[in-house]
Amino acid sequence: MAAGSPAAGNEDTGGLRAALGGLTTRGRSFLAAGMAAAVCAYVLGQGDLLRVGLLLAALPLLCVAVLYRTRYRVAGSRRLSPSRAPAGSEARVHLRMDNVSRMHTGLLMLQDHVPYVLGPRPRFVLDRVEPGGRREVSYRVRSDLRGRYPLGPLQLRLSDPFGMCELTRSFSAYDTLTVVPRTVPLPPVRLAGEATGYGDGRQRSLALAGEDDVIPREYRHGDDLRRVHWRSTARYGELMVRREEQPQRARCTVLLDTRRIAYQGAGPDSAFEWAVSAAASVLVHMLERGFAVRLLTDTGNSVPSAGAEGFAGSTQDSADSAGLMMDTLAVVDHSDGAGLSRAFDVLRGGNEGLLIAFVGDLDEEQAAVAARMRQRSGAAVAFVLDSGQWVTSGAVAGAVDERLRGLREAGWTAVAVAPGASLPELWRQASRERSHSTAAGGTDGLSGGWS
């Protein structure tokens, strides 16, 4: 048999000893009965009983020999649809088997190895496959826990018509299913005092007059046709436009606090999992609104790490950037760090645009560090989770009110997250609080806003 294209799988792995080890319970019973009958025939002097014993012992051995010499060549492949699945949703795994030999196969049992969190191990019985024929089967997997789960190896079990012997051959190919956090659609809201850009109301940091750049580039969908550089178009044979202005896209940093000491509890309904899912929802939402986005954790790690100062690039690669950040959130775990200082070091460069943070329990020192982050960015919104409330379903509350007050005094729009809270409602609440604070204190000179 072959795994993939065209790896060999029906080689002599273990030889005849492996084939004898594949005797089923029925085959072992026949062999034991035949040997017992032969011994009794010798003791009692019964020739007919000896012939019966030899027949019983020879049948499973004959099946072993036939199955051992069988030379099937089978190619197998696996396809995931989709390869990234949100937690709690189903993905379908498609298996395809091709008979690339010149003889019919026997009855085949197909089995795929999957982690137990994805569901039971799938097994399929395939009829005889004609030369050059194929069989396709599929099964569903589902996980409420995000992560990366290996699928494979795929195994084929060969059996003789009498069920005396079974041989198992494994393919070598593996695939990986990535279970990403759940995301929810967020309502389009806008902060008071923001500056609007152009195109569908999307917000942009204003760079009204970038450096003149007369070097032409290829035409992209949405470019103004008045900027077509006809001389370069005639030279290169494709539409070229002038790069006279380079308006900077609005930036957004999503900060996720992963400190182990900041969260209590575990499982799909824990405060930490809510924060991860909420961060994923905000990342997707801001990318759809045309922002240049990056994901930052308390460890100082930024995703994407390349591009324009670590932010996601142009709209052409927004899908790739979103996939990279979702893959990161699929496997993000608690950090052993005790503070937010490394994240603060990343943010101290300034010009960060909008900062949206999801933080857990804050002591007095870490609340002060978080407050200083606001001074290094434009608008800043913090969603603060009191993990003690999440563990006790609201029966025990920490010092979240005091932390919220300190963040608000530093200029944050701070919102407390109750157990099981709805992120869209909190998103609207943050917008209302931001509007009220701006109306009360006047505009704060922020460039750009959020939507």
Side-chain angles (χ1 to χ4, degrees), residues 38-255:
V39 171
C40 292
Y42 176 78
V43 173
L44 300 176
Q46 297 291 328
D48 293 337
L49 183 58
L50 178 61
R51 286 190 289 270
V52 172
L54 292 177
L55 178 61
L56 291 176
L59 182 58
L61 296 177
L62 180 61
C63 292
V64 167
V66 172
L67 199 60
Y68 171 71
R69 296 183 60 85
T70 299
R71 300 294 175 178
Y72 297 144
R73 290 189 59 82
V74 180
S77 62
R78 182 190 297 104
R79 178 172 57 88
L80 306 181
S81 177
S83 58
R84 292 189 187 99
S89 65
E90 291 184 344
R92 185 167 289 274
V93 183
H94 301 268
L95 304 177
R96 172 176 164 177
M97 306 300 300
D98 294 272
N99 183 10
V100 296
S101 64
R102 297 182 179 180
M103 59 183 300
H104 285 78
T105 68
L107 195 66
L108 303 177
M109 190 177 81
L110 185 64
Q111 176 178 277
D112 205 6
H113 286 260
V114 300
Y116 72 94
V117 296
L118 297 182
R121 181 173 297 178
R123 294 181 175 89
F124 304 93
V125 177
L126 304 180
D127 295 332
R128 297 179 61 189
V129 184
E130 66 279 3
R134 70 178 59 167
R135 297 290 186 271
E136 294 184 4
V137 293
S138 65
Y139 64 93
R140 294 176 296 181
V141 291
R142 181 182 182 276
S143 175
D144 292 327
L145 301 175
R146 56 185 175 81
R148 293 173 61 88
Y149 300 101
L151 302 179
L154 191 63
Q155 289 185 336
L156 274 182
R157 182 173 296 176
L158 309 178
S159 178
D160 66 278
F162 300 102
M164 299 288 181
C165 182
E166 291 181 348
L167 291 182
T168 301
R169 295 291 183 261
S170 296
F171 294 91
S172 58
Y174 285 82
D175 287 283
T176 302
L177 174 67
T178 303
V179 180
V180 299
R182 296 185 183 95
T183 59
V184 295
L186 299 180
V189 297
R190 191 163 63 182
L191 289 176
E194 67 183 11
T196 55
Y198 51 83
D200 298 332
R202 290 182 295 186
Q203 306 308 313
R204 303 174 183 268
S205 296
L206 298 182
L208 296 179
E211 296 182 359
D212 289 341
D213 186 358
V214 297
I215 300 176
R217 61 166 173 81
E218 67 277 5
Y219 173 83
R220 297 172 184 169
H221 179 71
D223 286 338
D224 191 345
L225 292 178
R226 291 175 295 182
R227 295 171 54 196
V228 173
H229 194 269
W230 295 108
R231 182 178 299 177
S232 298
T233 298
R235 178 180 179 183
Y236 293 103
E238 58 179 335
L239 279 178
M240 306 291 289
V241 296
R242 297 186 301 272
R243 293 190 292 185
E244 297 174 348
E245 294 181 359
Q246 295 181 348
Q248 183 181 353
R249 302 174 70 206
R251 292 179 172 181
C252 175
T253 297
V254 178
L255 172 63

Side-chain angles (χ1 to χ4, degrees), residues 290-337:
F291 279 70
V293 183
R294 71 173 172 181
L295 171 66
L296 178 65
T297 65
D298 60 289
T299 61
N301 294 327
S302 178
V303 180
S305 58
E309 301 182 15
F311 287 83
S314 62
T315 55
Q316 281 78 7
D317 59 5
S318 292
D320 294 337
S321 301
L324 179 60
M325 288 184 282
M326 294 298 284
D327 287 347
T328 302
L329 289 176
V331 296
V332 70
D333 201 357
H334 291 292
S335 69
D336 294 329

Side-chain angles (χ1 to χ4, degrees), residues 393-418:
S393 299
V396 177
V400 63
D401 292 336
E402 180 181 350
R403 304 309 178 213
L404 290 174
R405 188 181 309 110
L407 291 174
R408 288 166 182 164
E409 291 175 354
W412 284 81
T413 300
V415 179
V417 180

